[in-house]
Amino acid sequence: MISVNNLELRAGARLLMEAVNFRVDKGDKIGLVGRNGAGKTTLTKVLAGEGLPAAGEVLRNGEVGYLPQDPRTPDMEQLARDRILSARGLDVVVGRLRKAQVEMASEDPDVHARAMRRYDRLEAEFLAGGGYAAEAEAAAISSNLALPERILNQPLKTLSGGQRRRVELARILYSGAETMLLDEPTNHLDADSISWLRDFLQSHSGGLIVISHDTDLLEATVNKVFHLDANRAVVDIYNMGWKRYLLQRETDERARRRERANAEKKAQVLLDQANKMRAKATKAVAAQNMAKRAERLLGGLESVRAQDKVAALRFPDPAPCGKTPMTASGLSKSYGSLEIFTDVDLAIDRGSRVVILGLNGAGKTTLLRMLAGVDQPDTGEVVPGHGLKVGYYAQEHDTLDTSRTVLENMRTAAPDLRDTEVRNILGSFLFSGDDVDKPAGVLSGGEKTRLALATIVASSANVLLLDEPTNNLDPASRAEILGALRNYSGAVVMVSHDEGAVQALNPERVVLLPDGVEDLWSEDYLDLVTLA
């Protein structure tokens, strides 16, 4: 279904992988894993035909459905339902049927008659494409991804980033593609939707490559694992499930370490003997041969996995501010006749910690965008207090200019910092050398997360607005964020499905949307985090 031959991938001048060969056949369910920046997203883009390799070829047989980390929808005026139906080409037919239905109600007999004839023809075309059964299938998939009827009838521009991403996931699952490439499909899903997705992927009979930091999803679905080793620029292929892969990978690393240690010991003995013999002219050739043999011993070994680098992540020392740096009163938001939330009041005191909870579509992201000054409320206002400095992390990385480089994004965020200071901050977030000159648009989701957080570090913000800050991060980088949250002394308002992130925040208060009810935090609310 997909055949990869002698593939080489690069990110700028940096080699990601070379001489890679593999096949994705029917029934292969592959977990693609590796540290942020190892090349997972780059590889899936190339497999999907949305990127070109530095060398080698990718051959595709059959339809490929690709869910990128940051999907971009071409027509934001399109209804969510029509976007999903477009996977099978039914959106155009359904749109024409709606228009014909309107014209059938015309009092003009000629218009009515033409509409009747057109409706019959369109309905036949609709039924040939799967008809009402296909439409019901799309509705069932949408419902299981927390996209109810009212969401499906809305234009995409009125949906949150998380809702639009779920629409794209529903579209790919509905498409019937023989091979699916899913990059972090559980982002923005609640616990029930994740459970349903596991079952769906288990029953998928075609090929599957999934990038996910959700180990439960990988354990439940994959029967092969491809590990991208950025240090060795290779793809290690394990024809086994997730649990066996974890054991086998550690066994392989222990074997590599033992083999290298033994070879280094033998090589050192040869080199020591060669050095002793070099002093005698009669033994110079023998000494040279021993040195060459030592080189061959080490040269034929696979390198031992280098220690993975982790971003030295911290949040900024907050700038001085007044007792209450931010106040919001009477906030409400509607899209047309659809009311998202109404009359939300919130006071953010210096150093306070607040978590916002609510079901998908309750307006959590919209509220954060209002507090950040990105969106305006229909009613009410956000009043900045003395010394307010906001650091806003958007779940869709909206704060980044994808047409500008990593370095240019940082300079915009911190115009007062010297170039060396900007580069030092980027270096602590693992952006160094040529990486700082890459356009932000080519970064993986995890790299965009690191860059967005780096811009916050440079800001000296005293109020952080964090929207799903642990999405797209590997376990080590996620642990760094949790540590940074624990140690940050400024105020934080956070939206997250991640129980660990909420526990690290140790919130004092919770705001429940859409009602805007505020309450003191208790552990009882923790059960709602993954469901919200």
Side-chain angles (χ1 to χ4, degrees):
M1 301 173 80
I2 295 180
S3 179
V4 174
N5 303 310
N6 207 31
L7 190 70
E8 179 181 315
L9 296 182
R10 292 180 177 271
R14 182 164 62 95
L15 179 67
L16 295 175
M17 62 192 75
E18 62 179 341
V20 171
N21 298 277
F22 63 81
R23 286 176 56 86
V24 183
D25 291 316
K26 185 175 181 179
D28 285 343
K29 296 178 181 178
I30 298 162
L32 184 59
V33 299
R35 289 298 313 278
N36 290 139
K40 302 186 297 295
T41 293
T42 303
L43 177 58
T44 52
K45 282 182 178 178
V46 170
L47 295 180
E50 296 194 3
L52 294 174
E57 63 177 357
V58 176
L59 303 176
R60 303 171 196 84
N61 180 22
E63 185 182 351
V64 175
Y66 174 46
L67 176 74
Q69 277 188 7
D70 295 318
R72 293 290 179 260
T73 341
D75 180 8
M76 295 297 284
E77 299 293 335
Q78 190 176 31
L79 295 182
R81 183 194 311 281
D82 289 348
R83 176 63 181 163
I84 296 168
L85 290 175
S86 71
R88 298 187 189 176
L90 289 177
D91 57 318
V92 176
V93 182
V94 169
R96 290 174 179 168
L97 277 170
R98 290 191 197 117
K99 185 178 178 181
Q101 284 175 328
V102 172
E103 293 178 356
M104 282 163 58
S106 172
E107 294 181 1
D108 186 326
D110 290 337
V111 172
H112 174 80
R114 285 196 301 269
M116 286 284 289
R117 289 193 297 272
R118 190 164 66 254
Y119 186 89
D120 289 341
R121 187 174 65 255
L122 288 169
E123 187 174 40
E125 185 180 344
F126 176 65
L127 293 173
Y132 299 104
E135 203 170 29
E137 183 185 346
I141 290 173
S142 302
S143 175
N144 283 301
L145 294 177
L147 293 169
E149 192 77 12
R150 66 176 181 83
I151 298 295
L152 297 180
N153 290 325
Q154 289 179 232
L156 292 168
K157 68 178 182 180
T158 67
L159 305 185
S160 70
Q163 288 170 330
R164 288 198 300 272
R165 196 170 196 280
R166 279 181 276 129
V167 167
E168 289 304 301
L169 176 58
R171 183 176 180 273
I172 298 303
L173 300 183
Y174 172 68
S175 71
E178 293 166 274
T179 306
M180 294 192 295
L181 311 175
L182 306 180
D183 197 343
E184 297 291 357
T186 60
N187 281 358
H188 312 301
L189 296 186
D190 58 29
D192 290 341
S193 295
I194 291 173
S195 178
W196 175 85
L197 179 63
R198 287 178 198 148
D199 292 340
F200 185 97
L201 296 182
Q202 280 179 329
S203 63
H204 176 61
S205 59
L208 170 69
I209 294 182
V210 58
I211 301 172
S212 181
H213 293 112
D214 184 334
T215 55
D216 290 337
L217 179 80
L218 295 173
E219 184 179 332
T221 58
V222 307
N223 52 31
K224 292 184 178 181
V225 179
F226 290 0
H227 176 254
L228 275 59
D229 191 322
N231 298 306
R232 295 161 53 227
V234 299
V235 178
D236 293 320
I237 296 177
Y238 295 83
N239 293 306
M240 57 189 67
W242 181 250
K243 283 187 175 179
R244 283 186 58 203
Y245 151 74
L246 293 176
L247 293 172
Q248 187 61 50
R249 185 177 168 214
E250 194 52 48
T251 300
D252 291 348
E253 283 302 319
R254 283 199 300 268
R256 284 195 189 106
R257 285 194 290 268
R258 280 197 306 271
E259 187 177 354
R260 175 160 284 276
N262 290 335
E264 286 174 345
K265 186 176 179 180
K266 291 177 182 177
Q268 191 59 52
V269 170
L270 288 169
L271 289 172
D272 289 344
Q273 189 63 33
N275 288 334
K276 291 176 184 177
M277 296 170 69
R278 280 196 181 99
K280 298 181 180 180
T282 56
K283 297 183 178 179
V285 174
Q288 189 177 21
N289 289 338
M290 285 185 177
K292 287 182 178 178
R293 186 181 172 196
E295 288 178 11
R296 287 197 299 272
L297 272 173
L298 296 177
L301 289 173
E302 282 194 68
S303 58
V304 177
R305 187 170 74 229
Q307 184 65 37
D308 285 331
K309 292 182 179 179
V310 180
L313 202 155
R314 61 178 179 81
F315 290 122
D317 295 327
C321 62
K323 180 179 182 297
T324 305
M326 179 185 286
T327 304
S329 59
L331 301 182
S332 68
K333 188 65 177 178
S334 298
Y335 291 109
S337 61
L338 178 65
E339 185 179 86
I340 305 300
F341 55 75
T342 184
D343 202 26
V344 174
D345 299 327
L346 188 61
I348 307 300
D349 292 330
R350 184 174 56 237
S352 63
R353 294 173 172 244
V354 180
V355 63
I356 300 174
L357 294 181
L359 297 178
N360 282 319
K364 303 185 294 296
T365 291
T366 300
L367 178 57
L368 277 194
R369 288 172 64 87
M370 287 180 185
L371 296 178
V374 177
D375 290 344
Q376 295 302 311
D378 294 337
T379 66
E381 61 178 345
V382 177
V383 180
H386 174 69
L388 172 66
K389 278 195 171 183
V390 170
Y392 173 47
Y393 174 82
Q395 61 170 293
E396 299 297 314
H397 308 118
D398 299 335
T399 55
L400 300 179
D401 185 340
T402 54
S403 66
R404 306 185 74 200
T405 67
V406 169
L407 186 58
E408 288 169 340
N409 271 278
M410 276 295 291
R411 283 175 176 156
T412 300
D416 298 330
L417 291 185
R418 297 191 303 273
D419 190 68
T420 53
E421 292 175 305
V422 169
R423 289 178 181 273
N424 284 340
I425 293 173
L426 285 174
S428 71
F429 281 82
L430 305 185
F431 293 106
S432 58
D434 293 337
D435 287 342
V436 304
D437 296 319
K438 289 196 294 188
V442 306
L443 301 179
S444 71
E447 289 173 316
K448 285 178 181 173
T449 294
R450 293 206 311 267
L451 176 56
L453 291 169
T455 63
I456 291 176
V457 164
S459 70
S460 69
N462 44 40
V463 175
L464 298 185
L465 307 174
L466 305 178
D467 194 354
E468 302 286 2
T470 58
N471 277 359
N472 305 318
L473 290 179
D474 56 62
S477 299
R478 174 181 173 274
E480 283 291 310
I481 278 203
L482 302 193
L485 269 177
R486 292 186 186 96
N487 297 322
Y488 177 65
S489 58
V492 181
V493 182
M494 187 170 73
V495 171
S496 181
H497 286 94
D498 185 340
E499 287 185 43
V502 173
Q503 287 175 315
L505 179 66
N506 192 21
E508 304 152 359
R509 292 178 290 155
V510 57
V511 176
L512 298 170
L513 292 182
D515 298 324
V517 174
E518 187 175 338
D519 194 7
L520 294 175
W521 174 261
S522 78
E523 291 295 312
D524 294 338
Y525 283 116
L526 199 59
D527 293 335
L528 296 178
V529 171
T530 57
L531 299 174

